[in-house]
Amino acid sequence: MTHQYPSLSPEQKKELATIAQRIVAPGKGILAADESTGTMAKRLQKINVENTEENRRYFRDLLFSVDPSISDNIGGIIFFHETLYQKSDKGIPFPKLVKDKGIVVGIKVDKGTAGLNGTDGETTTQGLDGLSERCAQYKKDGCDFAKWRCVLKISDGCPSALAIAENANVLARYASICQQNGLVPIVEPEILPDGDHDLLRCQYVTEKVLAATYKALSDHHVYLEGTLLKPNMVTAGHSCPKKYTPEEVGMATVTALRRTVPAAVPGICFLSGGQSEEEASLNLNAMNKTPLHRPWKLSFSYGRALQASALAAWKGKPENRKASQDAFCTRAKINSLASKGEYKPTGQADKAATQSLFTASYVY
Amino acid sequence: MTHQYPALTPEQKKELQEIAQRIVAPGKGILAADESTGSMAKRLNPIGVENTEENRRLYRQLLFTADQRIDSCIGGVIFFHETLYQNADDGTPFVKMIKDRGIVVGIKVDKGVVPLAGTNGETTTQGLDGLSERCAQYKKDGADFAKWRSVLKISETTPSELAIMENANVLARYASICQQNGIVPIVEPEILPDGEHDLKRCQYVTEKVLAACYKALSDHHVYLEGTLLKPNMVTAGHSCPTKYSNEEIAMATVTALRRTVPPAVPGVTFLSGGQSEEEASINLNAINNCPLSRPWALTFSYGRALQASALNAWRGARDNEKAATEEFIKRAEANGLASRGKYVSSGTAGAAGQSLYVANHAY
């Protein structure tokens, strides 16, 4: 570890840092539209729409064809492979449609989870084989960032030391390969919200997982200024009897991030997990109002939390197109405000009432 | 690693965090007056002063009796064990003198370096035995923070993975034990400036060493908000033919810290290594003017860089004490300004310095 063999030239670093900063420019976040074919089946089944290639194209077209002012709120869109090579109704390739709005195009590059033998149902994520060549091609085809999702879970014996170490390592390998090919890697170590654990437990596990992730990124010589982080928010498990306020979620999350994420990382774009659209916005807003210094942008990379209303409004009917687009734009605008801590939902108690809910950071 | 067994209560965390923040309050830094008996010999010999206990007491006294001008620029003083139990001429314990003026008392707790067999002359640091009991006693005797120095060096083959890992681990054990006893640990992983390596090499090594330190601190469940970091600045080796500007040193240093030191750490208090008094102040000033976001306080924990002129002015003569104290106050004030980025050295041109910052993607 004594000699540096620079993995990136200054020009490569500058390009990566610039891309990352464009994605998380003030008021902007990411639309995660990278649902795999199998995942789209689940989304479309709920609104009784057949999971055909055309229906998938139609829905993404609906999202990508909204007014160009969407680029005030959306800095990047994550694509699934199939979508990258589809076209709009008017025959415009989707990457071009998105890029022409000033939005950065991203691509999901992992190939799903695989079992870790000898563990309690834990996984790692595959997709490293030929990844460099795939990234080079994606870069040519218009992508400037990538996403790779690792998954951990909380239970009595999980996450295990192996799961933490293995997932951190595979994320770092992926990140290193992306950067070699001019793609900004979004690093996603998702800790699932399933379980009855409380907020403190999730915070503790999140801190351990993120510490391991950033040690691995350092070991693999990844240029942090040219990366983004996509973590879970720190929340209690779904089945936890105790309920927490957005302010408590904000404080626990920001505390965990301050203890683990170096300031060089330009932005943190939360995943929405199983949260409702409104929950995801309220929590993001609370993050951005937490009274602790936050040296990175705190924004969103939402899938369901940006699309649920749009899907429900569409129901597969062309006559609902505009209503569906409006629903999407509304959530995008709200999350943009939340990323600046300026979201004021109607009916929310005034500032004074919410202030008292902050528990001092030293309790976390 | 799945269950938390909290190492500290909320009250313990609150105390540690407040102590740390008091030490690095805006405009303040640390006087490292913890030279061991052996190190004091090296300071006193050049000025022709005999290394006796009384001389060491007289010397620390002239530092600690500085007037109220240092109250706004010194947040903490690190003591050596002997000094913690010494008194001023009028019988006032040094500890009481320092605490009464609102300055936090610290204590060096390591027991020096020992070799790592099978390496190229690398070391670890000892001092863990009975450390908890020693910390408890120091806390009773007035100390609220501690310091432990680990040492690494840059050469063709060093620092080795073992040296990095072992020193990070021992620093984390020390930190964990301190916090259990209400003492804020200053974590010092010093990378020596000896050698002919360039700025980039030092930056690279510093990043690897600090990444290892913070992983170890996480593994040992250390409460970061109740710690301080005392690193080297990122500089070229002493024998490096290329000379770098203060702005380049600042950019390399801040970049390395931004990549490794979590924002939860309240302050980074640089060691001065072999830098001259003026160099140490100018570099600290440049660091605090670096155009990159810095979420921690960036200040000083200087030994020689606060005391060199004072020692020279004193030369062991009681008649010179006032003059020597003045020299110390001057450097304390200069570094207080530097920690706010407001130090103007008589030699530097203000505006000319700004343009020397190289964009950080070059680092």
Side-chain angles (χ1 to χ4, degrees):
Chain A
M1 227 185 257
T2 71
H3 281 85
Q4 180 174 16
Y5 302 96
S7 39
L8 300 165
S9 67
E11 293 72 30
Q12 285 176 298
K13 284 180 172 180
K14 186 172 184 207
E15 185 194 16
L16 291 166
T18 305
I19 292 168
Q21 277 158 19
R22 278 176 51 212
I23 296 170
V24 294
K28 300 193 189 189
I30 297 171
L31 164 63
D34 62 318
E35 295 86 355
S36 63
T37 311
T39 304
M40 275 312 280
K42 293 191 249 176
R43 303 281 175 266
L44 298 178
Q45 191 180 48
K46 279 188 105 163
I47 54 170
N48 287 318
V49 174
E50 208 190 336
N51 187 24
T52 62
E53 192 184 334
E54 173 55 18
N55 281 340
R56 293 193 293 274
R57 187 205 67 79
Y58 186 89
F59 183 64
R60 268 68 179 263
D61 179 52
L62 183 160
L63 296 175
F64 302 165
S65 301
V66 298
D67 190 84
S69 64
I70 191 71
S71 65
D72 289 344
N73 310 321
I74 300 293
I77 298 181
I78 318 178
F79 281 60
F80 178 61
H81 179 92
E82 171 191 79
T83 320
L84 200 68
Y85 303 102
Q86 288 178 326
K87 303 184 159 94
S88 72
D89 286 349
K90 302 192 171 87
I92 305 173
F94 281 150
K96 184 179 190 328
L97 187 63
V98 165
K99 278 184 110 155
D100 285 350
K101 289 180 158 68
I103 297 174
V104 188
V105 172
I107 176 73
K108 183 226 294 286
V109 298
D110 71 79
K111 297 192 169 182
T113 57
L116 281 174
N117 308 314
T119 67
D120 182 15
E122 293 177 296
T123 63
T124 180
T125 295
Q126 54 188 4
L128 291 179
D129 299 351
L131 180 60
S132 191
E133 291 75 13
R134 293 175 58 219
C135 284
Q137 188 61 48
Y138 284 136
K139 180 77 173 177
K140 283 202 196 109
D141 295 341
C143 300
D144 284 309
F145 74 97
K147 184 211 116 187
W148 173 294
R149 178 174 176 259
C150 272
V151 185
L152 297 125
K153 63 177 183 174
I154 299 177
S155 73
D156 259 351
C158 305
S160 65
L162 171 64
I164 294 176
E166 164 61 22
N167 281 287
N169 191 61
V170 85
L171 276 166
R173 271 299 292 141
Y174 140 79
S176 166
I177 292 169
C178 280
Q179 292 194 328
Q180 288 300 300
N181 292 285
L183 295 179
V184 166
I186 297 191
V187 173
E188 181 179 355
E190 172 170 10
I191 302 162
L192 295 174
D194 305 42
D196 57 7
H197 53 273
D198 64 8
L199 186 73
L200 240 38
R201 178 94 185 279
C202 178
Q203 184 187 333
Y204 175 78
V205 172
T206 302
E207 289 178 12
K208 295 306 183 192
V209 167
L210 290 179
T213 303
Y214 282 95
K215 180 57 163 64
L217 289 170
S218 168
D219 291 343
H220 284 260
H221 316 301
V222 174
Y223 175 60
L224 293 186
E225 291 88 333
T227 65
L228 293 169
L229 179 69
K230 178 166 172 169
N232 51 281
M233 294 184 189
V234 173
T235 63
H238 279 334
S239 332
C240 179
K242 189 157 185 241
K243 296 301 162 207
Y244 297 88
T245 63
E247 287 71 28
E248 289 172 301
V249 168
M251 183 62 90
T253 306
V254 173
T255 299
L257 298 171
R258 277 167 52 82
R259 290 174 180 170
T260 53
V261 184
V265 175
I268 297 174
C269 303
F270 296 101
L271 58 93
S272 46
Q275 296 181 43
S276 70
E277 288 175 328
E278 190 63 7
E279 217 180 331
S281 300
L282 288 174
N283 283 335
L284 178 61
N285 194 55
M287 302 288 168
N288 281 290
K289 296 180 73 142
T290 300
L292 290 174
H293 178 60
R294 300 159 255 114
W296 353 253
K297 295 282 185 8
L298 290 177
S299 186
F300 57 93
S301 175
Y302 290 168
R304 277 167 286 180
L306 272 170
Q307 300 176 61
S309 296
L311 279 161
W314 177 46
K315 293 187 145 41
K317 299 184 166 52
E319 59 269 30
N320 294 340
R321 185 183 173 91
K322 180 147 194 331
S324 179
Q325 287 180 320
D326 287 348
F328 165 57
C329 290
T330 300
R331 287 325 303 177
K333 183 97 187 73
I334 286 174
N335 285 309
S336 168
L337 289 171
S339 79
K340 294 185 276 191
E342 292 170 8
Y343 176 44
K344 291 184 182 35
T346 45
Q348 191 183 45
D350 66 33
K351 200 160 157 248
T354 51
Q355 275 295 85
S356 59
L357 294 168
F358 281 118
T359 310
S361 64
Y362 54 80
V363 174
Y364 289 84
Chain B
M1 226 187 255
T2 70
H3 281 83
Q4 180 176 16
Y5 302 97
L8 301 165
T9 65
E11 292 72 31
Q12 285 175 300
K13 285 181 172 179
K14 182 173 189 217
E15 184 194 17
L16 291 166
Q17 184 180 44
E18 283 173 353
I19 292 168
Q21 279 166 5
R22 275 173 52 213
I23 297 169
V24 295
K28 298 192 185 185
I30 298 172
L31 163 64
D34 61 320
E35 294 85 356
S36 62
T37 312
S39 289
M40 276 312 285
K42 292 192 250 174
R43 304 283 173 265
L44 299 180
N45 281 340
I47 54 167
V49 176
E50 207 189 336
N51 187 23
T52 62
E53 191 184 336
E54 177 59 8
N55 280 341
R56 293 192 292 274
R57 187 194 69 82
L58 283 171
Y59 174 63
R60 266 63 181 262
Q61 178 175 245
L62 72 84
L63 297 175
F64 301 162
T65 51
D67 63 37
Q68 82 288 347
R69 281 174 288 167
I70 67 160
D71 293 350
S72 56
C73 41
I74 300 292
V77 174
I78 318 179
F79 281 62
F80 178 60
H81 179 91
E82 172 190 78
T83 321
L84 202 68
Y85 304 102
Q86 286 179 326
N87 306 326
D89 287 345
D90 67 4
T92 312
F94 282 152
V95 170
K96 187 179 190 318
M97 276 174 68
I98 294 297
K99 281 189 100 150
D100 282 353
R101 52 202 306 189
I103 300 174
V104 189
V105 169
I107 176 72
K108 183 226 291 289
V109 298
D110 71 79
K111 295 191 170 183
V113 300
V114 289
L116 282 173
T119 66
N120 185 8
E122 294 177 293
T123 63
T124 180
T125 297
Q126 56 183 7
L128 292 179
D129 298 352
L131 180 59
S132 191
E133 290 76 13
R134 292 175 58 217
C135 282
Q137 188 61 48
Y138 283 137
K139 179 78 174 177
K140 283 203 195 108
D141 294 341
D144 284 311
F145 74 97
K147 185 210 111 187
W148 173 295
R149 176 173 176 261
S150 270
V151 185
L152 297 124
K153 62 175 183 175
I154 298 178
S155 74
E156 276 304 300
T157 55
T158 59
S160 65
E161 297 226 13
L162 172 64
I164 293 176
M165 185 270 298
E166 163 61 22
N167 281 288
N169 191 60
V170 84
L171 276 165
R173 271 300 292 143
Y174 140 79
S176 167
I177 292 169
C178 281
Q179 292 194 328
Q180 289 299 302
N181 292 285
I183 294 205
V184 166
I186 297 191
V187 172
E188 180 178 356
E190 171 170 12
I191 301 162
L192 296 173
D194 306 43
E196 51 185 23
H197 53 273
D198 63 8
L199 186 72
K200 280 201 138 43
R201 180 96 186 278
C202 179
Q203 183 188 336
Y204 176 76
V205 172
T206 301
E207 289 178 12
K208 296 304 182 193
V209 167
L210 290 179
C213 283
Y214 282 97
K215 182 58 165 61
L217 289 169
S218 169
D219 291 345
H220 285 261
H221 317 300
V222 175
Y223 175 59
L224 292 187
E225 290 89 334
T227 66
L228 293 170
L229 178 70
K230 178 166 172 169
N232 50 285
M233 294 182 189
V234 172
T235 63
H238 279 334
S239 332
C240 179
T242 312
K243 294 301 161 207
Y244 297 88
S245 67
N246 308 107
E247 288 72 24
E248 288 173 301
I249 287 171
M251 183 62 88
T253 303
V254 174
T255 300
L257 298 173
R258 278 167 53 82
R259 290 175 179 170
T260 53
V261 183
V265 175
V268 175
T269 61
F270 295 99
L271 58 94
S272 46
Q275 297 183 44
S276 69
E277 289 173 328
E278 190 64 8
E279 214 181 335
S281 300
I282 296 177
N283 281 332
L284 180 61
N285 190 58
I287 283 169
N288 279 288
N289 280 296
C290 179
L292 291 176
S293 166
R294 301 161 255 115
W296 350 254
L298 289 169
T299 183
F300 57 93
S301 175
Y302 290 168
R304 277 168 286 181
L306 273 170
Q307 302 175 53
S309 294
L311 277 161
N312 261 327
W314 178 48
R315 306 199 85 82
R318 296 223 67 154
D319 290 345
N320 294 342
E321 276 170 9
K322 259 183 113 338
T325 306
E326 260 321 289
E327 291 297 324
F328 163 58
I329 295 174
K330 268 191 357 218
R331 288 329 303 177
E333 289 183 317
N335 288 307
L337 287 169
S339 77
R340 294 183 193 258
K342 293 192 175 358
Y343 176 56
V344 181
S345 158
S346 37
T348 51
Q354 276 294 84
S355 60
L356 295 169
Y357 284 113
V358 179
N360 76 312
H361 56 260
Y363 290 84

